[in-house]
Amino acid sequence: MAVQGAQVVGRVAELLRLVGRKPEGTSLAGLVRESGLTRPTVHRLLTSLAAEGFLEHDSSSGKWVLGPEIFLLGSVAAARFPMEDIARPSLRRLATETGESAFFSIRRGNETVCVLREEGPFPVRSFVLHEGVRFPLGVASAGTAILAFLPAEEQEALLAEWAEHAGDFSDGHPADVVRENLEQTRLAGYSVNPGLILEGSWGMGAAVFDQQGRPAWALSLTGIEPRFRPERQEYLGKLLLEEAHRMTARLQGTS
């Protein structure tokens, strides 16, 4: 019985994550496809979650979206994780000085999750990244910045099973390309994603380290390719590293 209960919790958590990845919501068919569960099971769980206020069904689009209970729980949890106060000033400075969209992502297991966004004044933007989006470590600039500074054995454990780890992103992120990106990131201090997720949409990232000196978070910038040409990357990388160092110092209590 305990195993069955744990299985239900796992399925519920997976559906909540899948719905939360897209602000516009996800269709029932999409959730069935992405979860690998049967349609009746997904529908039953979605209906139960909606009854408790964790999800809502948008009748106009037919998609499922996060409900008010998620907002309330998130508001309470935010008090325990005051990253908004620590990260927001850095995001604002990055967005203002570069004109690009700035993001703050956290590491969750073998993924990164974007949790904060600040729009810059440049009128043309990339919409690959937004709050709630998850990527495997090593995919996108934030995940590359974090993975590059993990211990070598942890990196190799993921790279050894890269296709399985990266999933749908593995085609655009071949293992040899990822290894080269990780090496370049260690040399420069910041990562560069040259449109590997979406052609023409570039990103750069820098890791933020916890009190144990491990990369736990990342700041990143995204925009269109002409804004990330080699002659500008050094400038953007310098700003990212300055803000990442500032945040690290504050989190480690040394500022």
Side-chain angles (χ1 to χ4, degrees), residues 227-238:
R227 302 278 291 175
F228 287 79
R229 287 176 176 157
E231 59 270 21
R232 194 168 185 248
Q233 286 178 18
E234 186 175 349
Y235 163 71
L236 297 176
K238 178 176 178 292

Side-chain angles (χ1 to χ4, degrees), residues 91-92 94-103 118-126 202 220-224 226-228 232 236:
L91 292 180
R92 286 176 177 157
L94 285 169
T96 299
E97 292 184 41
T98 68
E100 314 303 337
S101 299
F103 303 88
E118 188 75 27
E119 296 289 2
F122 189 71
V124 182
R125 296 169 183 160
S126 166
W202 283 47
S220 59
L221 295 166
T222 69
I224 58 175
R227 302 278 291 175
F228 287 79
R232 194 168 185 248
L236 297 176

Side-chain angles (χ1 to χ4, degrees), residues 147-160 186 214:
L147 183 59
F149 293 100
L150 286 175
E153 60 271 18
E154 293 186 36
Q155 295 182 43
E156 286 303 320
L158 293 179
L159 291 168
R186 286 188 287 270
R214 290 175 59 86

Side-chain angles (χ1 to χ4, degrees), residues 232-246:
R232 194 168 185 248
Q233 286 178 18
E234 186 175 349
Y235 163 71
L236 297 176
K238 178 176 178 292
L239 293 179
L240 279 166
L241 288 175
E242 287 175 354
E243 295 300 339
H245 290 160
R246 183 178 282 118

Side-chain angles (χ1 to χ4, degrees), residues 56-138:
E56 289 185 343
H57 186 250
D58 186 335
S59 57
S60 60
S61 67
K63 294 182 177 180
W64 291 86
V65 296
L66 296 179
E69 283 296 328
I70 294 293
F71 172 77
L72 294 173
L73 289 174
S75 298
V76 174
R80 292 189 60 242
F81 304 97
M83 300 308 296
E84 166 83 24
D85 294 338
I86 296 174
R88 185 64 70 181
S90 288
L91 292 180
R92 286 176 177 157
R93 282 190 291 268
L94 285 169
T96 299
E97 292 184 41
T98 68
E100 314 303 337
S101 299
F103 303 88
F104 180 66
S105 298
I106 64 173
R107 180 189 178 188
R108 286 282 294 150
N110 288 332
E111 294 182 314
T112 55
V113 186
C114 177
V115 293
L116 295 173
R117 174 182 183 137
E118 188 75 27
E119 296 289 2
F122 189 71
V124 182
R125 296 169 183 160
S126 166
F127 294 96
V128 170
L129 199 57
H130 55 77
E131 292 95 330
V133 168
R134 295 169 179 262
F135 290 116
L137 280 179

